[in-house]
Structures are given as structure tokens and as C-alpha cells.
Amino acid sequence: MRISRPASAHAAGSGSTAFDSLLTDTAPTGLQITAITGTTLTGGATAQSGAAVTGGGTGLRGTYDIPVGDSVTVTYTATVTSATVLGSQLTNLADVVW
């Protein structure tokens, strides 16, 4: 997943960094997150607490400072569990709040 902070995401003329941006991703039923395999911080983005798997694989969480125009990319692996019905579609949405 990639979190970008375009200038249009903030008030016109503001160059403020999105401090303490909380990334959460709750895996849908049928998907278990098994490992964080990488995190890429571009520009001046920094990790306050890097992404970590939570709830035994039911999600992930991390906190970042993201300046305007920079981004954070978190890469992870997941396993489709036996709770998944064959042929079903799994939709996974992450959330960032600051």
C-alpha cells in the first residue's frame, strides 16, 4: 500500500507536515497478514512507529510524519485462509488519519 501526501490534501498555501499520521489496515475476513516485508519512506517522511502486524494477523498499524509531496509505502504478505469461500472477492482497504 502507498500513502501519498499531495499538496491538494491540505489547505491552499500550507506546507505543513502531517505529523503522527496513523496508518491502520484491518484485513477482511479470509485474509491474514503474515509479515511486513518492507517500508519505503520518500523525501522527508519518517516513521514514528513503523508498521507492525497486529491482532495475530488481522491487521497492521504504524505512525508516520509525512511532509507535503512525500509518501510512505508499506509492503506486506498475506495468506488467504480457509474461511474464504472459493471464488469470492476479498477487498482490503487501509486508512490514514492525522
Side-chain angles (χ1 to χ4, degrees), residues 18-90:
F19 290 104
D20 302 321
S21 299
L22 175 63
L23 163 67
T24 56
D25 185 353
T26 302
T29 299
L31 192 66
Q32 181 178 17
I33 298 171
T34 54
I36 304 295
T37 57
T39 300
T40 303
L41 307 170
T42 65
T46 58
Q48 296 303 314
S49 62
V53 177
T54 59
T58 60
L60 63 82
R61 177 184 180 103
T63 306
Y64 301 90
D65 293 341
I66 310 170
V68 173
D70 296 339
S71 65
V72 175
T73 302
V74 177
T75 306
Y76 61 90
T77 57
T79 301
V80 176
T81 68
S82 61
T84 305
V85 176
L86 183 62
S88 64
Q89 180 176 337
L90 299 175

